[in-house]
Amino acid sequence: MAQPGAMDLRKGYLVMSQGRICSVIYWNLWKSDRRSRVQLKLKDILSGRIAEVTAQADDKYEVLESETIDLNHSYKDGNDEVFYTPAGEEYPCPAAAVEDVIKWKADLYKGLLVDGKLITVEPPQSVVATVADTAPAIKGVMNGLKDAVLDNGMTVKVGMVINVGDRVRINTETLEYRERVS
């Protein structure tokens, strides 16, 4: 773990800021006649909140070593959800941190390890889900969107021709309907 100054940070670095693990999503050097400042946008990994920070050039930040790994969901153990790698290593993660992620049934998740500890898990970019409830198709209407409830309880907008029981591909980040899957 290094302690570089704000001038040494770059977009994508994981840093410890005010006791929280954050990702640098924006970095800009601002120079004036008297001193340099660094404008930063930091995204809290666990809450997703973004903070704008103006730092002095010599402010120190703890840069964290991280690794992204492929994971499968295994089981719930008390307050933890347990994931495992294809090699069989198990990693517990607080259930509250991955509650929304495991709603998306997927074969493979992406996990973020910081200092060997699983911090957060992301679902794949798109998943296939089954429509559990939606309004019936209107005869003659081919374009447009309507609400549908998926088998995991999430509500999304789907095409007008989608019926109950159809399988659809959904973008997990934006909750956008992509296509019907046969």
Side-chain angles (χ1 to χ4, degrees):
M1 291 187 211
Q3 290 261 339
M7 298 265 298
D8 300 321
L9 296 180
R10 293 294 181 265
K11 184 177 176 180
Y13 279 28
L14 271 180
V15 297
M16 188 65 78
S17 176
Q18 299 177 351
R20 295 189 169 114
I21 298 172
C22 298
S23 174
V24 178
I25 59 172
Y26 176 79
W27 180 95
N28 185 42
L29 182 60
W30 179 73
K31 291 185 179 186
S32 68
D33 293 340
R34 297 179 186 210
R35 63 176 60 164
S36 296
R37 296 180 197 257
V38 179
Q39 296 171 322
L40 299 168
K41 284 188 183 177
L42 303 174
K43 181 177 181 181
D44 187 322
I45 294 294
L46 296 179
S47 71
R49 292 186 176 154
I50 296 175
E52 294 186 21
V53 177
T54 301
Q56 301 298 326
D58 57 350
D59 286 353
K60 299 291 183 198
Y61 285 87
E62 181 181 359
V63 176
L64 304 171
E65 296 295 324
S66 65
E67 177 184 4
T68 302
I69 59 172
D70 291 333
L71 295 170
N72 299 91
H73 182 251
S74 187
Y75 59 93
K76 183 171 181 140
D77 183 24
N79 292 331
D80 291 338
E81 293 288 345
V82 180
F83 293 84
Y84 66 94
T85 64
E89 297 173 80
E90 288 190 349
Y91 291 97
C93 190
V98 295
E99 179 179 3
D100 291 336
V101 173
I102 60 175
K103 285 182 181 178
W104 298 107
K105 306 286 189 251
D107 294 331
L108 209 57
Y109 298 91
K110 294 286 183 189
L112 178 67
L113 291 179
V114 175
D115 296 329
K117 184 177 176 188
L118 184 61
I119 299 298
T120 187
V121 177
E122 295 291 325
Q125 187 172 2
S126 68
V127 296
V128 176
T130 305
V131 175
D133 187 33
T134 189
I138 300 172
K139 191 172 186 174
V141 177
M142 300 300 284
N143 295 331
L145 298 173
K146 62 181 178 178
D147 287 334
V149 178
L150 303 175
D151 56 353
N152 63 3
M154 304 289 274
T155 301
V156 297
K157 297 274 189 192
V158 297
M160 292 298 277
V161 297
I162 301 298
N163 295 309
V164 173
D166 287 349
R167 298 181 67 213
V168 293
R169 185 172 311 280
I170 303 291
N171 181 316
T172 58
E173 188 175 335
T174 63
L175 297 182
E176 289 179 356
Y177 161 74
R178 292 288 179 211
E179 63 185 350
R180 183 190 313 188
V181 178
S182 49

